[in-house]
């Protein structure tokens, strides 16, 4: 990609960006002097679509008007409301609708998937994960190992980056899987690591896991709405994600689950059941026998939060209008531009630890700050830039193609340069 220094280049990119107008469909926070902030924390909490309020208000109004009858008679009947999310969500993750369901929240869904896909049996009882996985994932996995009466010290295997390297090599993942071989029950990776921004090859890891007879699961918290996903084709057994990061579903937003179609009628495996996973046609006969739905919906437990789903609908509509593939194309260029400008600063106090290969990352770049000096982070924050500090020494910066501009990136790089010069 060809990039140039100077603000004229950023303006030219914004003028020729056919996705530029999508920014107007979001509320952009403003500083105390009324200037729009540079919002680079869509990887933590996505911005609010302007139409979210309208979607939520519709359900509040129908609740006021119809009360319990809203389950059947609301404009969008609540009984089947989650189905409105299924197809748009399936398009974003590259799955069939029957493999996709929105329910609960991320870590809860991870537990439910571990109940079904972590099935220790004899010596096959290990779980392989990435070193530096999101803490919640690690807690969930460790607790599941303990709940089966097993020892995490023996059963939890982490794949490390090589010494002196920041990212994990796929050949090392394959070699760890090969070494532990038929002792592995499950391989569980992030789609994009929240800290380094490294994107893992889901199909490749799945292939290695399946070759030794293990299941493969993925946490897509930092992938869904960020990179192109082909979950069905990748053959992964399951995936979980949240909707409040790149998917702009709002704080505490509803989570998502993918279960590959080959498991759609695996009714004999261990599942935690609840009435929402029961056959829709007979659910309200309230019979004691549990008759699970086919596909991912069969893992539902509770009736889901309508207001959160309404909020997410407003955002998924925007994704459909923009198209995930087009967003990714812009994202590759936007983040490439950010990398180009940061590298141009050439200051030894900062280092990008995210892979430089665009295919091995999403929109986020993680900047390691020498000596863990937080004053740089405080200074750019003071200048109206939203990034975040992750212990021990990283600033995460995520330009989101839906609402960030090339000018945002240019301004940020200038602020970064000036802040470093001041330090
Ligand atoms: C954000 C994130 C979570 C958060 O979990 P919740 O259950 O939604 O609170 C978990 N795992 C990963 C990888 C994340 O990035």
């Amino acid at each position: 990609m060809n990039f140039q220094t100077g603000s004229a280049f950023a303006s030219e990119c914004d003028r020729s960006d056919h996705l530029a107008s999508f920014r107007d469909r979001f509320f952009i926070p403003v500083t105390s002097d009324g200037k729009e902030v540079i919002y680079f924390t869509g990887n933590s909490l996505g911005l609010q679509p302007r139409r979210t309020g309208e979607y939520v208000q519709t359900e509040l109004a129908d609740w006021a008007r119809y009360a319990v009858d809203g389950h059947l008679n609301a404009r969008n009947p609540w009984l089947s409301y989650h189905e409105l999310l299924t197809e748009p969500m399936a398009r974003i993750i590259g799955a069939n609708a029957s493999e996709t369901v929105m329910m609960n929240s991320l870590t809860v869904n991870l537990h439910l998937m571990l109940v079904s896909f972590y099935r220790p049996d004899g010596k096959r009882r290990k779980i392989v994960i990435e070193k530096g996985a999101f803490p919640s994932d690690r807690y969930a996995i460790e607790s599941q190992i303990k709940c089966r009466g097993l020892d995490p010290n023996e059963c939890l295997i982490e794949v490390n980056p090589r010494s002196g390297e920041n990212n994990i090599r796929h050949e090392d993942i394959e070699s760890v899987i090969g070494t532990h071989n038929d002792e592995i029950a499950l391989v569980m990776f992030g789609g994009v690591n929240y800290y380094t921004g490294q994107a893992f090859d889901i199909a490749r890891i799945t292939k290695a896991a399946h070759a030794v007879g293990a299941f493969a699961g993925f946490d897509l918290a930092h992938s869904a709405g960020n990179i192109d996903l082909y979950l069905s084709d990748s053959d992964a057994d399951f995936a979980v994600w949240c909707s409040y990061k790149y998917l702009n579903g709002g704080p505490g937003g509803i989570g998502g689950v993918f279960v590959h179609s080959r498991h759609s009628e695996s009714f004999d495996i261990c599942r935690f059941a609840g009435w929402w996973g029961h056959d829709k046609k007979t659910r309200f006969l309230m019979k004691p026998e549990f008759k699970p739905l086919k596909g991912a919906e069969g893992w539902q437990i509770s009736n889901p939060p309508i207001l959160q789903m309404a909020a997410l609908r407003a955002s998924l509509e925007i994704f459909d209008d923009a198209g995930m593939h087009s967003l990714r194309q812009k994202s590759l260029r936007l983040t490439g531009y950010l990398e180009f400008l940061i590298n141009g600063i050439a200051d030894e106090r900062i280092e990008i630890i995210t892979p430089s290969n665009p295919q091995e990352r999403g929109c986020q770049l993680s900047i390691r700050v020498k000596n863990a000096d937080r004053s740089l982070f405080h200074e750019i924050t003071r200048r109206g830039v939203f990034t975040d500090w992750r212990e021990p020494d990283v600033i995460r910066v995520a330009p989101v193609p839906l609402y960030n501009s090339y000018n945002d990136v240019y301004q940020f790089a200038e602020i970064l340069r000036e802040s470093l010069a001041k330090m």
Side-chain angles (χ1 to χ4, degrees), residues 105-107 134 136-137 194 219 221-222 242 244-245:
S105 49
L106 202 176
T107 311
F134 195 87
S136 192
D137 299 31
Y194 81 101
D219 184 328
H222 283 262
C242 57
Y244 48 82
K245 292 173 179 167

Side-chain angles (χ1 to χ4, degrees), residues 125-131 138 141 145 151-160 176-177 179-180 183-184 186-189:
R125 54 193 182 195
K126 294 181 176 170
I127 303 183
V128 177
I129 67 170
E130 83 233 52
K131 173 84 179 169
R138 204 177 188 289
I141 289 167
I145 292 172
D151 177 6
N153 290 322
E154 181 214 329
C155 295
L156 186 52
I157 311 291
E158 288 177 313
V159 187
N160 287 283
V176 168
I177 293 174
T179 302
H180 293 272
E183 295 174 357
I184 303 173
L186 173 69
V187 177
M188 167 77 214
F189 265 70

Side-chain angles (χ1 to χ4, degrees), residues 250-269:
I254 189 160
V257 166
F258 162 87
V259 182
H260 195 279
S261 57
R262 90 178 73 88
H263 304 296
S264 69
E265 292 181 61
S266 305
F267 300 131
D268 49 342
I269 63 175

Side-chain angles (χ1 to χ4, degrees), residues 166-167 193-198 200 353-355 364-366 396:
N166 296 311
N167 296 291
N193 181 274
Y194 81 101
Y195 190 85
T196 62
Q198 178 183 14
F200 291 103
I353 62 168
T354 307
Q364 170 185 325
L365 294 182
S366 302
R396 299 188 307 169

